[in-house]
Amino acid sequence: MTEVKNTEAIIEIGNLRKSFGNLEVLKDVSLKLFNGENLVVLGKSGSGKSVLIKCIVRLLSPNEGTIKVLGKDVKKLDRNDLAEIRQKIGFLFQSGALYDSMDVKQNLEFPLIRIRKKLTQKQRNEKIEEVLENVGLLDAINKMPSELSGGMRKRISLARTLIIDPMIMLYDEPTTGLDPVTSDEISLLINDVKKKYKTSSLIITHDIECARATADRLIMLHDGAVYKEGKIDEFEKSTDTLIKSFFK
Amino acid sequence: MRRIKPVIKVIPVIRSATINLSEKTIDKTIKASSFLEEVANFILFILRTFKETFSRKFEFREFFRQCFQIGYKSLPLISITGAIMGLVLTIQSRPILVTFGAVTLLPSMVAISLIREIGPVITALICAGKIGSGIGAELGSMKVTEQIDAMEVSSTNPMRFLVVTRVLATTLMLPLLVLYADAWGILGSWIAINIKGDVSFVLFSSQAFGYLKFIDFLPAVVKTFFFGAVIGLVGSYKGYTAGRGTESVGIAANSAVVLASLLVIIVDMIAVQITDMLI
Ligand SMILES: Nc1ncnc2c1ncn2[C@@H]1O[C@H](COP(=O)(O)OP(=O)(O)O)[C@@H](O)[C@H]1O
Ligand SMILES: [Mg+2]
């Protein structure tokens, strides 16, 4: 795996602009994710947070600006290099995105079969058990996604992203739609992942409790641009009305 | 995901035009251009599916799963409609043949119309409803819940995994389903004839197949491959390009059925014209 120094930016976004037709979602966003940190990106619904992280893995192409992941410009990668970068990134989708037609085991096997091609069936099973244990859901292995609760779905999808040992984690609203207790459990899990897997994480959220629990540093998006950047207590103490409306 | 770029960009040109166009004209032009855009996108989608079909990696497991889903699971529905088609067709045709004193031709007339036209078209329309809407809804909900995105970041080409397998499965399964429906239709016809008389199945089938030539058969089978491809492509296209809210799943399923049925009829018309010219 690529060695990265502590001060180096894992993800570096510069002057990103993205619009859909006449709707300009991101006007000018620049940010850096450093090695080993949890960076929380705050913003209200519809402020383009999901669009931002989808641009990082090139599920969407930006209109302007640069995105560098591990020093490589995502826009200029060819198919193979893009696949290689994507394999280092774990993407936890807002809706969980578990495959409905497959049970939990098949869901977890899916990326494993396609990305870690050399593993034997036995090694695969061990890996599946390991990640399920890490998210505390070993007994759900034969369930279908439709039988799982919201919190369990999030955990299983987290397990599915962890199974390929990502260097970078992108969390899209990991706690949205969950009750406060489950949200706290997910926040703890995010911190666990950081410790166990030594990941650098970008956490997109509008849930302040989750931000408090996980953030090393925060960035707030507003009106398609970075509104404020800083540590959590700088945000808590801020007198700005917009920031205050978040930190009630 | 790479989005398919719309080809026609008329709207901005019109909006900034200095000529004074009436509201109605602008409205009509926008409608026409979005229709053409849709057609262009669909053609690009077909070309991409075609390209991905002949790429090196083929998803065999998903393909067989789809064949099972699409073929095997449609059998009960197809059996019932097939048998009723034969039954009804026979009962309805009998009086006119009695008038002409040609009742002995009834089995072969039914067999010919079933195999040449009614079997393929009715089966294809039923499948457009069942399979087309199924694919549209399934892919649509996968799109809305980001499952297609998740596949893409797991080093899997969703066009290849989801679309190619489904289109190939419908293309191969539909001809089989049609033949199966034809068989039930013939059986239904025999039952209908036996309601008013007593004809053994051996005599019935020698009458039914006596006038049937290979040339009746071939074009009918060939066109069912196209029907299958149309159903798979339209269902996949509508699902794959579904919008972003949950309501777009319903829209995708619904418009898949409408468009697939329409295209089946149009393809049938073209097929009949071509057959007519060649024979
Ligand atoms: N693929 C897309 N096509 C068109 N509009 C989109 C697309 N994705 C997002 N948008 C629009 O971009 C805006 C921001 O969306 P999103 O990033 O999902 O917000 P959030 O910050 O809640 O995650 C919304 O207005 C949404 O309608
Ligand atoms: Mg979002």
Side-chain angles (χ1 to χ4, degrees), chain A residues 18-21 23-26 42-54 59-60 94 172-173 204-206 221, chain B residues 3 143 146 243-244:
Chain A
K18 173 73 187 168
S19 55
F20 298 100
L23 177 73
E24 201 161 48
V25 181
L26 300 175
L42 282 172
K44 60 177 195 215
S45 298
S47 57
K49 305 183 298 293
S50 300
V51 171
L52 175 69
I53 50 172
K54 283 190 180 169
L59 283 170
L60 293 171
Q94 189 165 349
D172 193 355
E173 307 206 2
I204 303 276
T205 191
H206 56 223
L221 283 187
Chain B
R3 286 182 63 85
K143 174 78 186 288
E146 301 173 307
R244 291 165 12 87

Side-chain angles (χ1 to χ4, degrees), chain B residues 106-278:
Chain B
L106 186 55
S108 68
M109 200 206 89
V110 170
I112 287 179
S113 35
L114 260 183
I115 287 169
R116 285 187 72 143
E117 188 60 32
I118 299 186
V121 171
I122 301 275
T123 311
L125 288 179
I126 299 261
C127 289
K130 183 180 187 293
I131 300 168
S133 70
I135 295 177
E138 189 190 10
L139 296 196
S141 83
M142 290 188 77
K143 174 78 186 288
V144 171
T145 58
E146 301 173 307
Q147 292 173 51
I148 293 184
D149 285 346
M151 237 167 229
E152 177 119 16
V153 293
S154 294
S155 293
T156 303
N157 182 333
M159 279 296 279
R160 218 176 279 160
F161 188 85
L162 298 170
V163 177
V164 170
T165 51
R166 280 163 178 76
V167 172
L168 279 186
T170 50
T171 310
L172 293 182
M173 287 299 115
L174 205 83
L176 297 179
L177 288 174
V178 167
L179 291 179
Y180 179 80
D182 288 346
W184 277 94
I186 303 277
L187 189 71
S189 170
W190 178 63
I191 294 169
I193 282 174
N194 270 292
I195 295 172
K196 289 234 170 140
D198 187 13
V199 182
S200 78
F201 192 71
V202 178
L203 179 58
F204 170 81
S205 43
S206 76
Q207 280 177 343
F209 295 113
Y211 287 89
L212 206 61
K213 291 190 227 61
F214 183 63
I215 208 70
D216 291 318
F217 222 64
L218 187 68
V221 172
V222 171
K223 74 181 173 190
T224 54
F225 282 98
F226 286 94
F227 290 167
V230 161
I231 293 169
L233 281 168
V234 171
S236 306
Y237 172 71
K238 287 293 179 183
Y240 204 84
T241 55
R244 291 165 12 87
T246 28
E247 76 282 358
S248 38
V249 178
I251 296 172
N254 182 264
S255 54
V257 177
V258 174
L259 186 60
S261 311
L262 183 68
L263 287 184
V264 162
I265 302 281
I266 291 174
V267 169
D268 185 52
M269 183 188 73
I270 297 171
V272 168
Q273 296 287 334
I274 292 175
T275 318
D276 204 43
M277 274 191 316
L278 293 183

Side-chain angles (χ1 to χ4, degrees), chain A residues 54 57-59 79 83 86-87 93-95 97-102 110-111 114-115 160 172, chain B residues 1-2 51 59 61 65 138 141-142 144-147 149-157 160-161:
Chain A
K54 283 190 180 169
V57 286
R58 214 165 89 184
L59 283 170
R79 193 185 282 250
R86 280 174 172 175
Q87 288 169 16
F93 287 90
Q94 189 165 349
S95 53
L98 291 176
Y99 306 126
D100 293 325
S101 57
M102 307 178 194
F110 193 91
R114 281 144 205 284
I115 293 173
R160 191 178 65 185
D172 193 355
Chain B
M1 194 184 329
R2 205 176 320 145
K51 195 183 117 211
E59 305 279 354
R61 264 180 70 180
R65 199 176 76 85
E138 189 190 10
S141 83
M142 290 188 77
V144 171
T145 58
E146 301 173 307
Q147 292 173 51
D149 285 346
M151 237 167 229
E152 177 119 16
V153 293
S154 294
S155 293
T156 303
N157 182 333
R160 218 176 279 160
F161 188 85

Side-chain angles (χ1 to χ4, degrees), chain A residues 10-240:
Chain A
I10 300 268
I11 296 178
E12 192 172 348
I13 298 177
N15 306 99
L16 184 70
R17 191 174 74 78
K18 173 73 187 168
S19 55
F20 298 100
N22 294 327
L23 177 73
E24 201 161 48
V25 181
L26 300 175
K27 289 175 187 154
D28 179 13
V29 176
S30 305
L31 62 83
K32 282 181 179 179
L33 173 72
F34 294 106
N35 191 18
E37 75 170 342
N38 278 352
L39 176 63
V40 167
V41 178
L42 282 172
K44 60 177 195 215
S45 298
S47 57
K49 305 183 298 293
S50 300
V51 171
L52 175 69
I53 50 172
K54 283 190 180 169
C55 286
I56 295 175
V57 286
R58 214 165 89 184
L59 283 170
L60 293 171
S61 319
N63 302 73
E64 272 168 38
T66 54
I67 299 178
K68 284 189 179 167
V69 178
L70 299 168
K72 291 196 182 115
D73 190 341
V74 176
K75 207 190 231 167
K76 293 185 187 134
L77 296 178
D78 65 18
R79 193 185 282 250
N80 289 333
D81 290 339
L82 179 65
E84 200 178 304
I85 284 284
R86 280 174 172 175
Q87 288 169 16
K88 296 192 172 125
I89 301 177
F91 198 129
L92 182 68
F93 287 90
Q94 189 165 349
S95 53
L98 291 176
Y99 306 126
D100 293 325
S101 57
M102 307 178 194
D103 67 15
V104 167
K105 181 161 186 241
Q106 288 167 330
N107 260 291
L108 294 176
E109 247 174 0
F110 193 91
L112 216 48
I113 291 175
R114 281 144 205 284
I115 293 173
R116 303 269 175 269
K117 294 191 182 102
K118 286 184 192 124
L119 296 186
T120 62
Q121 184 64 45
K122 187 161 165 283
Q123 285 169 314
R124 257 185 246 147
N125 289 342
E126 280 167 6
K127 197 83 198 151
I128 289 171
E129 277 187 21
E130 178 199 316
V131 286
L132 277 178
E133 201 148 357
N134 281 343
V135 298
L137 277 177
L138 200 49
D139 45 343
I141 188 162
N142 290 319
K143 291 214 166 97
M144 293 302 284
S146 54
E147 298 171 273
L148 304 174
S149 70
M152 286 161 91
R153 281 167 152 263
K154 277 274 157 72
R155 282 160 185 255
I156 298 292
S157 13
L158 181 56
R160 191 178 65 185
T161 60
L162 291 178
I163 205 159
I164 52 162
D165 299 310
M167 279 179 75
I168 305 167
M169 279 297 302
L170 305 177
Y171 297 92
D172 193 355
E173 307 206 2
T175 58
T176 302
L178 302 177
D179 60 89
V181 179
T182 316
S183 294
D184 288 348
E185 286 169 9
I186 298 282
S187 301
L188 289 179
L189 211 48
I190 291 175
N191 287 336
D192 265 5
V193 167
K194 181 185 164 190
K195 250 184 255 149
K196 265 190 206 151
Y197 291 82
K198 308 243 178 322
T199 53
S200 321
S201 314
L202 201 62
I203 302 157
I204 303 276
T205 191
H206 56 223
D207 173 12
I208 291 306
E209 289 310 320
C210 173
R212 283 195 180 111
T214 56
D216 295 321
R217 198 157 62 88
L218 288 96
I219 280 183
M220 187 163 150
L221 283 187
H222 181 67
D223 204 17
V226 174
Y227 188 76
K228 185 177 164 63
E229 186 173 347
K231 300 262 181 216
I232 186 95
D233 36 325
E234 292 172 39
F235 276 79
E236 303 264 20
K237 280 182 214 141
S238 171
T239 50
D240 186 290

